[in-house]
């Protein structure tokens, strides 16, 4: 009984405290973002407390919150929406109803959520994918890949690869009336990570080479090597996505061992023999001057993690590790970055590296933007910024797919 009164009370106090903690002034819709930011920080602290007293796991707390936004497959006057499986992996398909003379483009969408929460069935993704199907007269496929920590690396990328390889078969494309020359893979945040890796893998596979026309990465995370880029430093405490929340959640994709998250927060998580990887993500080389400001490059510290720690194939986690010769074969690319985002520099570095390799890239940078805004395009949390991001992404698709 006392818990039931104390906890909401504590949350209110925390929330009130956080909501008056300043966030950057030029953020669009300041008060709405301040509320979102405070809600996120309160949730993170509550989740930490709950985990420490053994009530519920940190990640499960976030899942509970997020899963209140799950939707059913509801068709409307224009689009037939179907939940089905491809290769035993749940997917949601959006099929335009209108008769079409010619075959349609397709967009494969991979949702965000730090590899541990979320679903293509969440309201904001349902809204976005329906909107995409309507605006582009496209077939849209949302993938519900398996989530960590129940299913750790490489479950997420394996699922995406399996679904896409089946979807790309001629007979499946024909079944849904998809034009095989007009297929884009898109995703936001950790979904963007998966899209970038997936696109690289398909391009390296003789059977699937050149089958993807374009990729779209919306505020993607593209490396888990250096957690002290200028954007990690400047936006360590958010708004919205703090370094702590990002690393606490995303590290569960690799291991439940908390030592990794502790080491990653200090930028000391890379193994002894990994220095040769730094050149691919060295921000002091790839970041435009404007974003370097007065920051001084410091190398991640090696070998602090227990050497018995499992080793991961880093290029299946950090798509920025692809070599220039791998990058140069990649398709037309869209990258959207937000200024107030720890992952800003991941996107900026990828843009630079892709352009150096000769890949045509469209880059939209939103000065007033925050991470995750595309997930706030429906009631009760509605940001104009989210709609702006959606419209930029859709208009790029309209012109390029
Ligand atoms: C169906 O398409 C029409 C024409 O594009 C549009 O005006 C209408 O809002 C769409 N309906 C829904 C439910 O999206
Ligand atoms: C990173 O780049 C700087 C030049 O800006 C260079 O001095 C440094 O050696 C590089 N470090 C690594 C590990 O690549
Ligand atoms: C490294 O991990 C192993 C197995 O988890 C453990 O037995 C050992 O004590 C650890 N070593 C250090 C230095 O933490």
């Amino acid at each position: 009984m006392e818990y039931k009164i104390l906890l909401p009370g504590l949350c209110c106090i925390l929330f009130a405290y956080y909501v008056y903690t300043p966030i950057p002034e030029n953020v669009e819709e300041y008060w709405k973002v301040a509320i979102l930011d405070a809600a996120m920080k309160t949730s993170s602290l509550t989740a930490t407390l709950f985990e420490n007293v053994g009530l519920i796991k940190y990640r499960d707390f976030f899942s509970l919150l997020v899963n209140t936004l799950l939707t059913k497959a509801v068709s409307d006057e224009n689009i037939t929406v179907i939940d089905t499986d491809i290769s035993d992996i749940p997917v949601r398909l959006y099929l335009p109803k209108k008769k079409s003379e010619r075959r349609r483009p397709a967009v494969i969408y991979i949702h965000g959520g730090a590899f541990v929460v979320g679903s293509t069935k969440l309201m904001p993704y349902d809204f976005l994918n329906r909107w995409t199907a309507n605006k582009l007269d496209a077939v849209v496929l949302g993938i519900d890949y398996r989530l960590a920590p129940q299913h750790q690396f490489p479950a997420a990328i394996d699922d995406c690869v399996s679904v896409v390889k089946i979807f790309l078969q001629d007979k499946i494309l024909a079944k849904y009336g998809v034009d095989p020359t007009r297929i884009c893979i898109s995703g936001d945040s950790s979904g963007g990570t998966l899209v970038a890796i997936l696109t690289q893998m398909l391009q390296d596979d003789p059977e699937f080479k050149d089958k993807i026309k374009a990729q779209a990465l919306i505020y993607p995370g593209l490396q888990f090597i250096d957690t002290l880029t200028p954007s990690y430093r400047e936006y360590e405490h958010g708004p919205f996505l703090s370094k702590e929340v990002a690393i606490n959640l995303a590290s569960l994709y690799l291991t439940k061992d908390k030592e990794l998250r502790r080491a990653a927060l200090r930028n000391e998580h890379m193994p002894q023999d990994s220095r040769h990887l730094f050149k691919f993500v060295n921000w002091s080389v790839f970041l435009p001057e404007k974003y370097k400001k007065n920051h001084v490059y410091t190398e991640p510290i090696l070998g602090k993690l227990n050497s018995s720690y499992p080793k991961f194939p880093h290029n299946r986690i950090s798509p920025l590790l692809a070599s220039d010769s791998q990058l140069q074969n990649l398709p037309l690319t869209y990258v959207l970055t937000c200024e107030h985002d720890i992952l800003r520099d991941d996107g900026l570095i990828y843009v630079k590296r892709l352009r150096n390799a000769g890949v045509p890239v469209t880059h939209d940078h939103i000065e007033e933007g925050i991470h995750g805004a595309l997930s706030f395009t429906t009631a009760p949390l509605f940001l104009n910024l989210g709609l702006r991001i959606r419209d930029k992404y859709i208009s790029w698709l309209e012109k390029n797919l």
Side-chain angles (χ1 to χ4, degrees):
M1 185 62 205
E2 276 175 12
Y3 265 119
K4 283 184 188 155
I5 302 169
L6 271 175
L7 275 174
L10 181 68
C11 289
C12 287
I13 294 167
L14 275 174
F15 182 81
Y17 166 74
Y18 283 134
V19 97
Y20 288 104
T21 314
I23 58 172
E25 254 169 45
N26 75 329
V27 159
E28 188 171 301
E29 300 171 275
Y30 183 95
W31 279 107
K32 280 195 200 168
V33 172
I35 288 168
L36 261 178
D37 182 57
M40 186 69 150
K41 286 182 172 138
T42 307
S43 304
S44 174
L45 199 59
T46 312
T48 306
L49 288 174
F50 281 11
E51 182 167 89
N52 288 342
V53 299
L55 214 53
I56 184 172
K57 293 270 186 225
Y58 187 84
R59 172 266 182 187
D60 294 343
F61 184 84
F62 280 93
S63 288
L64 277 180
L65 290 180
V66 168
N67 288 349
T68 57
L69 296 174
L70 285 171
T71 59
K72 296 240 179 304
V74 179
S75 300
D76 62 34
E77 55 186 307
N78 304 324
I79 311 286
T80 304
V81 182
I82 306 168
D83 282 344
T84 179
D85 288 349
I86 294 185
S87 174
D88 288 332
I89 295 145
V91 298
R92 181 169 283 183
L93 266 169
Y94 298 79
L95 307 167
K97 283 182 175 169
K98 196 171 59 187
K99 286 264 172 296
S100 174
E101 296 285 288
R102 40 187 217 141
R103 286 185 290 175
R104 300 186 153 93
V107 175
I108 300 167
Y109 199 89
I110 305 182
H111 72 81
F115 308 103
V116 296
V117 295
S119 162
T120 196
K121 295 167 186 162
L122 294 183
M123 206 193 292
Y125 293 117
D126 185 63
F127 179 74
L128 175 68
N129 289 339
R130 196 180 290 269
W131 185 271
T132 310
N134 244 321
K135 278 282 187 189
L136 273 87
D137 190 26
V139 170
V140 179
L141 172 74
I143 307 178
D144 256 347
Y145 55 88
R146 285 169 296 164
L147 298 175
Q150 286 87 342
H151 304 282
Q152 287 178 323
F153 175 84
I157 186 68
D158 278 357
D159 287 0
C160 293
V161 170
S162 305
V163 169
V164 170
K165 285 188 170 176
I166 290 184
F167 185 73
L168 289 177
Q169 288 175 7
D170 292 338
K171 65 171 195 292
I172 305 282
L173 295 179
K175 175 176 165 189
Y176 296 120
V178 172
D179 179 345
T181 66
R182 296 176 69 202
I183 298 170
C184 176
I185 311 186
S186 310
D188 60 301
S189 193
S190 55
T193 319
L194 293 168
V195 169
I197 297 167
L198 178 60
T199 310
Q200 291 176 2
M201 288 172 78
L202 293 173
Q203 196 55 28
D204 286 344
D205 184 333
E207 200 186 333
F208 293 93
K209 194 171 164 44
D210 300 329
K211 294 225 166 168
I212 300 298
K213 179 171 188 194
Q215 63 172 338
L217 313 172
I218 298 167
Y219 39 72
L222 297 168
Q223 55 94 20
F224 191 57
I225 309 260
D226 185 352
T227 62
L228 265 183
T229 62
S231 57
Y232 263 104
R233 298 179 198 191
E234 289 172 35
Y235 304 114
E236 178 177 356
H237 300 294
F240 187 60
L241 183 67
S242 70
K243 178 171 171 177
E244 192 181 12
V245 171
I247 289 178
N248 279 352
L249 289 175
S251 63
L252 288 170
Y253 181 41
L254 301 177
T255 173
K256 286 180 197 169
D257 185 341
K258 287 186 187 163
E259 193 45 39
L260 178 69
R261 49 165 121 154
R262 282 194 281 267
L265 281 167
R266 295 189 304 260
N267 212 23
E268 295 178 350
H269 57 297
M270 292 300 287
Q272 195 61 264
D273 53 1
S274 57
R275 187 164 185 268
H276 64 288
L277 302 176
F278 297 168
K279 62 175 181 290
F280 297 111
V281 297
N282 187 336
W283 60 262
S284 77
V285 175
F286 298 115
L287 212 55
E289 285 306 320
K290 176 181 167 196
Y291 300 99
K292 289 188 195 169
K293 297 193 182 153
N294 308 326
H295 297 292
V296 177
Y297 179 78
T298 50
E299 277 183 35
I301 294 159
L302 294 178
K304 288 275 186 168
L305 262 188
N306 192 330
S307 57
S308 69
Y309 216 72
K311 299 237 184 322
F312 303 105
H314 293 285
N315 60 342
R316 292 285 172 265
I317 297 161
S318 302
L320 263 172
L321 294 179
S323 67
D324 289 356
S325 60
Q326 274 175 296
L327 293 182
Q328 74 188 11
N329 297 318
L330 290 176
L332 194 64
T333 299
Y334 177 76
V335 180
L336 184 136
T337 50
C338 287
E339 175 55 37
H340 305 280
D341 179 2
I342 51 173
L343 302 181
R344 177 197 71 186
D345 296 346
D346 286 24
L348 295 175
I349 294 172
Y350 208 40
V351 167
K352 179 74 176 167
R353 289 206 54 216
L354 288 170
R355 284 185 175 153
N356 287 351
V359 177
V361 180
T362 303
H363 176 213
D364 280 329
H365 182 70
I366 304 195
E367 282 295 336
E368 309 79 22
I370 61 159
H371 191 82
L374 190 58
S375 295
F376 301 102
T377 48
T378 53
L381 285 162
F382 171 88
L383 293 178
N384 286 318
L385 174 64
L387 296 184
R388 208 139 69 80
I389 291 176
R390 178 197 68 188
D391 292 344
K392 279 179 181 289
Y393 157 65
I394 295 289
S395 95
W396 175 81
L397 280 175
E398 283 175 328
K399 289 191 200 100
N400 292 283
L401 188 60

